[in-house]
Amino acid sequence: MKHLQQISVKPPVFFSGRAAGHFSAALLFAALTLGFSHAALAQAPAPVEQFKLANGLTVIVKPDHRAPTAAHMLWVRVGSMDEVDGTSGVAHVLEHMMFKGTPTVKAGDFSRRVAALGGQENAFTSRDSTGYYQQIPASKLEEVMRLESDRFANSQWSDDEFRREIKVVKEERRMRTEESPHAMLYEQAAAITFLASPYRRPIVGWMSDLDAMTPADVRSFYQRWYVPANAALVVAGDVEVAQVRKLAEKYYGAIAARPVPGRKPRSEPEQAGLRRIDFKAPASQAYVGMSFKVPKLEPVDLAQPGAAASPTVAASRDALALTVLAAVLDGYSGARLERALVQGQGQTGGRVADSAGASSGLMGRGPQLFTLDGVPADGKTTQQVADALRQQVAVIAREGVTQVELTRVKTQWVASETYKLDSVFSQARELGSNWVQGLPLDASARLIAQLRTISASEVQAVAAKYFGDDQMTLSTLLPQPMDPSRKPRPSSMPTNGELH
């Protein structure tokens, strides 16, 4: 179950192994739809501003003076999807190495200096991008801009430093992936779900590629992709646009401009038959997942909804309807999957699952999936769970959804996205994620507005259109006996799929 679903444009993320959003709706829009007070409107953050430096680096600033803090993020539009076979995991390894020093900052000093400023910092790698961030008192903004711009332009480390850190990354893979039956199943299912798309490779990389990786592989990736025109600086919090512009020009503007490498399209061929993987591993419970190829919302269709010239407008509309479908199935406590599969309401055989979920990829640089999954209840099989999950979609395809359900999920989206405005980090992360996808600054309000126009008939239509066997990958975890002498290793992996 994934109650109170929030719409996300970001794929799974790997965080660096050190101590440690989604988009948000515009506050004015939420006030109009939910009846917020005039006082709340008066506290609305200032409008977002975006500009480019002479070297091509994008700068996005969102002033919010409600607290004397700021979030400083540097986004690079490069992730695991930009790797090539044989060097999988290099984007994530580079993220680790970016903490290993510059000619003026020793290895490890970056984090120590940010902590001395009273701040927190970390970094993450996803399929689509890599990000570095600091949350600091607003008065310390210049110090972190000096540090981050230096690291972006002048990362430098020894081969010995690389050899030590690659061991850390391989241990991370062992702990987060190889010792988790669900993670291993997900990894192998992705490898057969996608053929041409680089989404088939794991973000952390295959172990054989990590074993063979060299310092030169990582340095080459850094030199190729870490260029100003392929990056965006996002600052949100108690700042002024003119102040950020001046500091950005001073520290980031001095970095030499270089061209962004060309990207060749790697379009996924149409799937024409069921794909299946059965994965055996020591586990206490079975699990089944079904992933269906679905369209995604294209940036042009969000920027110009309904544009007649767009060849993707119909598919983008379907992507929105699929997002609503996922929320109707599993978007709140007591949604359809929980009632039918977990509670057993209306089922002649009673409950069939201990948990059941639905999610739909809405946007991304690569192809997207709609996923149904569940864990069988005691005495039930994965086949029974899979059948029950598909039955719920079939019911909607046949009978549609109610207006009450539509109103509920849409209202929850507006409310949950509005509440995230309380966090300047969430604001900054959302703006950076939107930039990676090529979305406009007001993407949040545009997306909420479009989702609110999705009708019951559109939800019913996509339920009937995209859930056949030919578009499905079926993945099943077949539990094997547990080793009673084996002690589980501690893991800090959170439930949202992010690694810290």
Side-chain angles (χ1 to χ4, degrees):
M1 294 174 286
K2 293 174 280 293
H3 298 153
L4 282 172
Q5 279 188 348
Q6 296 172 339
I7 310 148
S8 171
V9 300
K10 63 186 182 62
V13 174
F14 274 62
F15 281 76
S16 290
R18 296 175 301 282
H22 307 289
F23 73 88
S24 65
L27 185 58
L28 175 60
F29 184 84
L32 292 174
T33 55
L34 297 180
F36 275 35
S37 68
H38 292 294
L41 285 173
Q43 298 174 8
V48 185
E49 293 198 28
Q50 177 175 317
F51 53 90
K52 278 192 176 184
L53 304 184
N55 59 11
L57 186 130
T58 297
V59 182
I60 303 171
V61 187
K62 186 172 186 180
D64 185 337
H65 301 295
R66 291 175 293 177
T69 61
H72 173 276
M73 300 191 77
L74 186 66
W75 291 75
V76 189
R77 192 182 276 127
V78 65
S80 64
M81 74 170 296
D82 298 290
E83 300 163 349
V84 297
D85 287 340
T87 59
S88 67
V90 68
H92 178 234
V93 173
L94 173 56
E95 177 224 309
H96 276 245
M97 299 311 300
M98 291 292 285
F99 288 83
K100 299 306 176 182
T102 73
T104 59
V105 178
K106 295 180 180 179
D109 274 3
F110 186 102
S111 299
R112 284 190 284 269
R113 292 189 188 186
V114 173
L117 296 173
Q120 297 178 326
E121 50 83 43
N122 212 324
F124 55 87
T125 305
S126 75
R127 287 167 164 171
D128 291 353
S129 63
T130 309
Y132 304 85
Y133 66 86
Q134 301 83 38
Q135 293 178 269
I136 37 88
S139 61
K140 305 300 182 182
L141 177 62
E142 181 169 6
E143 285 86 343
V144 296
M145 289 184 80
R146 181 189 297 113
L147 284 168
E148 190 65 89
S149 61
D150 175 50
R151 172 167 71 173
F152 178 75
N154 304 305
S155 181
Q156 180 177 299
W157 31 266
S158 68
D159 289 1
D160 285 342
E161 197 72 62
F162 166 81
R163 283 188 281 269
R164 286 190 290 269
E165 195 63 23
I166 197 68
K167 292 179 182 178
V168 173
V169 175
K170 288 194 284 188
E171 178 61 15
E172 182 179 359
R173 177 184 164 80
R174 279 187 285 266
M175 184 172 69
R176 315 286 192 183
T177 301
E178 296 180 0
E179 296 192 3
S180 167
H182 285 264
M184 287 292 289
L185 175 63
Y186 173 81
E187 180 178 87
Q188 296 193 22
I192 67 167
T193 299
F194 299 114
L195 300 181
S197 170
Y199 276 11
R200 71 185 186 277
R201 292 189 296 263
I203 297 170
V204 72
W206 300 112
M207 184 62 86
S208 59
D209 287 347
L210 297 177
D211 286 338
M213 193 170 292
T214 68
D217 292 330
V218 185
R219 294 187 182 112
S220 175
F221 195 82
Y222 167 67
Q223 291 294 329
R224 179 175 176 82
W225 294 108
Y226 278 52
V227 302
N230 198 41
L233 168 66
V234 183
V235 180
D238 191 17
V239 299
E240 300 294 345
V241 175
Q243 166 202 11
V244 175
R245 183 188 290 269
K246 181 179 179 180
L247 293 174
E249 292 280 7
K250 179 179 179 180
Y251 293 107
Y252 289 95
I255 302 172
R258 288 188 286 127
V260 179
R263 290 181 167 98
K264 295 183 179 180
R266 288 175 283 183
S267 301
E268 183 68 16
E270 183 176 354
Q271 185 171 335
L274 173 67
R275 298 173 188 168
R276 176 171 187 149
I277 179 170
D278 292 336
F279 184 75
K280 296 180 180 180
S284 57
Q285 286 183 294
Y287 165 88
V288 63
M290 293 172 288
S291 295
F292 302 85
K293 301 277 179 60
V294 294
K296 63 181 179 179
L297 176 61
E298 297 291 347
V300 65
D301 299 318
L302 186 62
Q304 299 175 335
S310 171
T312 57
V313 63
S316 288
R317 192 73 185 174
D318 281 357
L320 292 166
L322 287 159
T323 300
V324 177
L325 172 62
V328 169
L329 289 169
D330 184 35
Y332 55 90
S333 180
R336 290 193 178 213
L337 293 186
E338 182 179 1
R339 291 199 311 270
L341 277 69
V342 180
Q343 298 175 3
Q345 295 182 22
Q347 303 296 305
T348 56
R351 62 189 302 270
V352 298
D354 284 344
S355 65
S359 63
S360 186
L362 179 60
M363 285 184 278
R365 290 175 57 203
Q368 298 300 302
L369 302 171
F370 190 109
T371 300
L372 298 167
D373 63 354
V375 173
D378 188 37
K380 303 297 183 180
T381 67
T382 54
Q383 186 61 56
Q384 288 174 299
V385 174
D387 291 343
L389 286 165
R390 299 186 77 179
Q391 181 184 27
Q392 290 303 307
V393 176
V395 169
I396 293 177
R398 185 173 62 250
E399 302 174 3
V401 298
T402 68
Q403 192 59 45
V404 171
E405 288 174 310
L406 288 183
T407 300
R408 179 167 186 171
V409 298
K410 292 174 182 179
T411 300
Q412 283 185 303
W413 283 335
V414 175
S416 63
E417 299 304 324
T418 300
Y419 296 149
K420 284 188 288 186
L421 288 173
D422 288 341
S423 165
V424 294
F425 173 71
S426 293
Q427 295 176 51
R429 177 158 186 164
E430 166 191 293
L431 288 165
S433 180
N434 287 344
W435 171 82
V436 167
Q437 303 302 333
L439 302 177
L441 289 176
D442 61 347
S444 304
R446 288 173 182 264
L447 185 50
I448 288 290
Q450 287 203 38
L451 284 166
R452 287 173 61 84
T453 69
I454 295 297
S455 66
S457 61
E458 288 177 292
V459 178
Q460 184 175 7
V462 296
K465 184 176 182 180
Y466 290 104
F467 295 90
D469 284 354
D470 285 353
Q471 302 171 89
M472 179 176 70
T473 298
L474 176 65
S475 52
T476 307
L477 173 61
L478 304 176
Q480 305 299 298
M482 304 282 286
D483 182 357
S485 64
R486 182 179 179 274
K487 295 182 179 180
R489 298 175 60 176
S491 172
S492 57
M493 181 177 178
T495 57
N496 62 1
E498 296 178 340
L499 298 186
H500 294 264

